Amino acid sequence: MENKVYLNGEYLPLSEAKISVLDRGFLFGDGVYEVIPSYAGQLFKLQEHLQRLEASLGVIKLDFSYSLSQWLEILTPLLNAEKDQYIYLQITRGVSAKRDHAFPLDVTPTVFAMCSDIKLTTGVEKGIKALTMEDSRWELCHVKATTLLANVLLRQEAIEQGCGEAILHRQGYVTEGAASNLFAVINGVLMTPKKTAEILPGITRQVILELAKNNDIPHQEDIISLAALQSASEIWVTSSTREIIPVVELDAVKVGEGVPGPVWKRMSQLFQEYKRAI
Ligand code: PDD
């Protein structure tokens, strides 16, 4: 049976959900989104995802707000309690009367949500190859905006070169992946770039930092130079849909022993236990 999706107050089969060509999401990428995992029908870190959504809406000056209970009411019918899934949720500025860069007056935002199964096969156990690339994105990377052309081009370049992710850098220091945050074990310390407008404040990143703190794993949020990354004994990329993926080869050079490392094994286990516990 075809999956139901949510669009502007209605539940429809995916193939029947339609939006106008004048929707500003379509014309300008004028919208924000969230990707929220759901384990056995329970949305993981929903409040944190909704707080980030609210922050993204604030930066793009989109006046829209639903309460936690309103979101739960909307999203719960999309979930299947027997599966691990993720909700894709998007809000755009809505449908304008004509194409004009300036915000239209009196428009209703478009709200869309759909649910897909999480398939964690790619790379989790064996690790992936990654390629470093100049971060060609804009200056508001802390906003989870649907305007993802730079991310798409960077990820595609990595894929065409046989890699699973692009690791981005600006002026000699690393920021994050094309669709993930970055961790590296450098001189025995688990490092991740600090939260700035140059990275998305990932929810998975936050969980990992909490787990590191609660389990006495030495960790630090700091600037990571490209040279330091190249000397790392472990590198991971993290996201809601791919969880924690070890990078075993960076720019065709082995990371550590060229296999997922001991800190990754420990964190991966802690993460799975944490997920199942809540
Ligand atoms: N992306 N950085 C970027 C640029 C991302 O696109 C993502 C996730 C992350 C990780 O954030 P989180 O842990 O909250 O998922 C970091 C989602 C999964 C996507 O665009 O599909």
Side-chain angles (χ1 to χ4, degrees), residues 39-113:
Y39 302 115
Q42 297 293 315
L43 288 159
F44 182 70
K45 297 276 164 189
L46 176 63
Q47 253 165 306
E48 288 79 353
H49 280 278
L50 294 178
Q51 276 162 9
R52 184 172 67 187
L53 178 67
E54 209 173 293
S56 296
L57 288 165
V59 178
I60 73 159
K61 300 180 181 155
L62 208 170
D63 186 15
F64 177 90
S65 160
Y66 278 158
S67 65
L68 176 64
S69 59
Q70 279 173 307
W71 278 122
L72 271 174
E73 203 180 310
I74 289 173
L75 301 178
T76 305
L78 300 174
L79 302 173
N80 179 336
E82 273 144 41
K83 289 178 169 183
D84 286 349
Q85 298 175 302
Y86 65 91
I87 293 275
Y88 174 84
L89 163 62
Q90 170 169 341
I91 301 169
T92 79
R93 207 176 301 277
V95 179
S96 48
K98 62 179 175 58
R99 183 179 178 276
D100 182 354
H101 285 63
F103 294 175
L105 300 173
D106 300 326
V107 288
T108 309
T110 299
V111 182
F112 172 65

Side-chain angles (χ1 to χ4, degrees), residues 33-37 49 52 86 88 137 141 143-145 148 151 155 165 168 175-182 198-208 237-243 271:
Y33 74 106
E34 274 300 326
V35 176
I36 313 167
H49 280 278
R52 184 172 67 187
Y86 65 91
Y88 174 84
R137 301 173 302 160
C141 295
V143 179
K144 204 159 172 61
L148 287 173
N151 306 60
R155 169 66 71 82
E165 183 59 305
L168 312 179
T175 51
E176 59 179 341
S180 55
N181 287 117
L182 177 79
E198 291 180 344
I199 69 164
L200 186 80
I203 308 300
T204 319
R205 173 189 180 280
Q206 202 52 45
V207 172
I208 291 169
V237 288
T238 69
S239 75
S240 293
T241 43
R242 306 211 290 177
E243 298 186 351
F271 190 84

